[in-house]
Amino acid sequence: MRRAPQRVHRWTAGALAATALFLARPGPAGAVQLSGVLDLGAGSATWDRSGSGISLTRGALDAAYRAPAILGLSPEITGGFGASTDPAARTALRWDLGGRLSTLGPETGGWLAAAIGRAGVGAPSVGVSRLESGLRHTFGPAGLQLWVSRTAVGARTLPGGVSDTLSGTDTLAGRRLADYTDLGSRATIGVGGIEVAMLVVRRLGTAGLRRVAWETSAVWWLAPGVGLAGAAGHSLPQFGLAVPGARYGTLGLRLALGAEPRRRNREPPAPVAGVAPAVARLIVTPDHRLTIIGPPAARAEVRGDFTDWTPRPLVALGAGRWQLPGAVAPGVHHLDVRFDDGPWLVPGGTVSTDDGFGGRVGMVVVP
Amino acid sequence: MRTPLAAALVVLLLTTSSAAAQDSRLAGRLDSTTRAGVATLLDRARANRLPAEPLVQKALEGASKGAPGPRIVSAVEAVLADLQRAQATLGPGAAPGDLVAASAALRAGATPSMLAEIRRAQPRGGIAVPLGVFTDLVAGGLSVSAAWRSVADLARDGGDEQQFLDLRDRLRPPAPPGPP
């Protein structure tokens, strides 16, 4: 759980949190489409180690570039940057660069990721490497992810050592600062405009590293692209950025940026461009809104006579549900949908008719 | 001098008429030749008091799908022909929504006499929903006669829009399995 900036006074303090995750992917005509999620929140945190009055400010930015699918696999290039400072002007920095390869199954899939980088106080002089693999499966509106990761922080003798947490036993120095394995699980469920998630991570390693972290979080989407987010839990220490574990509770806003409005931070990637979903179904709600139910995807679009046949992104409702913002006028309408820049499809729940151009188009009657 | 002036006026009037008929949404989406062909059809629709929007949308659909210009004009012309057939049955005062639904029903297999019957059964309300349900049922696999019998019976009984939608839900073949 990355939180930033955080201000800590002694053991318990108010906490301000801001995290950002961006995703870029190839768009039409060679353009690059950028989307992401920005979380802004406030709350309280009780650190696992006394800070003796130290305050801490931290920020993090992660980004990924998703390339077109190859052999049914979705490759991504990932990168991240983070920084933390305290009043003694100790600035900790970290950066990493890596890759992730995911399968494209609509309900079940897996991923394999690796990243290398550097981190440390004063300068990012400590090597960091991470290997991760995981599985995901959806059960109707619910989803489950399981993963294991191996992280090594520090690979050589360091001049003067590095403090990776505020104090105490989390201060590490020497050839190998930390070497641990995380076993993680995350369960999610989306009902209407509300998404709820439960996260549990068990860290395995030497006696000073073994911890269990958990988090319960929820997002209530008040409007397309704007959600009320809350979270409570106990985080793990983040070696290299001098952030100890903490019990915390936050409340804030989640802002969806660009074309991927509701993707949760650090979720495993969903099926991507060029792969047609197995099925998609259209539902017209009583208030004349078009809802599409489809396989897991990072992006869905609709085009039709109500958009002047220009693609318009759908807003994710969670659990494979997407909705066109605003009501559609009563009458006969024609439309197509697509997922992750794949081919345009006639969704189920519409009448497939000849479009006059050698293809098909969906027709729906909105009462 | 009189002949060139008259010719200039005719050209000016034609240009004005065509420009008025053109929809600003078509600019930039269609090449000039295709746009001119579509504009002629839009002129014809408006002259016959037919809704132009379905024609504009068909042209935009063709542009969005990358169809060649002649095919776009042909598809728009087919939409116009459907609307003309619907109007011939429902009368010149038919609502645009009813005309659009009637043209879709004709394409699905309805006959002009069927349209006239549904018009008589629902003299005051719109007939877009009953016709839309008919088209939906036919495209979903029901025979034209079976779909028509169900819709016409309900229309004669004075069914409202919700009852037509309920009828569709009852008769339509179940959707293929998919995500919940």
Side-chain angles (χ1 to χ4, degrees), chain B residues 108-162:
Chain B
T111 62
S113 65
M114 290 177 174
L115 299 186
E117 184 180 347
I118 206 83
R119 177 76 283 173
R120 284 195 301 273
Q122 304 254 310
R124 288 179 296 278
I127 57 173
V129 171
L131 293 177
V133 168
F134 165 77
T135 306
D136 200 323
L137 292 174
V138 172
L142 215 59
S143 69
V144 169
S145 59
W148 179 252
R149 208 162 40 241
S150 302
V151 170
D153 287 348
L154 183 55
R156 278 192 291 271
D157 292 343
D160 59 20
E161 289 188 354
Q162 188 55 53

Side-chain angles (χ1 to χ4, degrees), chain A residues 338-354:
Chain A
R338 71 174 174 182
F339 298 88
D340 291 328
D341 301 323
W344 289 99
L345 306 166
V346 175
T350 68
V351 179
S352 176
T353 63
D354 183 355

Side-chain angles (χ1 to χ4, degrees), chain A residues 107 139-141 279-281 293-295 303-311 319 321 331-332 334 336 348-361 363-367, chain B residues 25 29 53 56-65 67 71-72 75-76 97 100-101 104 107 128-129 131-133 135-137 139-140 161-162 165 168 172 175-180:
Chain A
E107 292 185 346
F139 308 88
V279 283
R281 192 183 307 157
I293 304 173
R303 66 179 180 184
D305 50 29
F306 43 85
T307 72
D308 283 341
W309 288 96
T310 55
R321 291 173 182 266
V332 178
H334 296 82
D336 298 322
T350 68
V351 179
S352 176
T353 63
D354 183 355
D355 66 0
F357 307 111
R360 310 294 294 177
V361 64
M363 187 190 80
V364 65
V365 179
V366 176
Chain B
R25 291 170 291 179
R29 303 276 297 268
E53 183 65 15
V56 173
Q57 290 300 333
K58 182 53 72 175
L60 293 174
E61 180 185 353
S64 178
K65 295 181 175 180
R71 191 152 195 176
I72 291 176
V76 173
V100 173
R107 281 201 303 275
V129 171
L131 293 177
V133 168
T135 306
D136 200 323
L137 292 174
E161 289 188 354
Q162 188 55 53
L165 295 174
R168 177 187 63 177
R172 199 173 182 188

Side-chain angles (χ1 to χ4, degrees), chain A residues 214-225:
Chain A
W214 62 273
E215 182 191 74
T216 301
S217 63
V219 181
W220 177 24
W221 291 98
L222 304 171

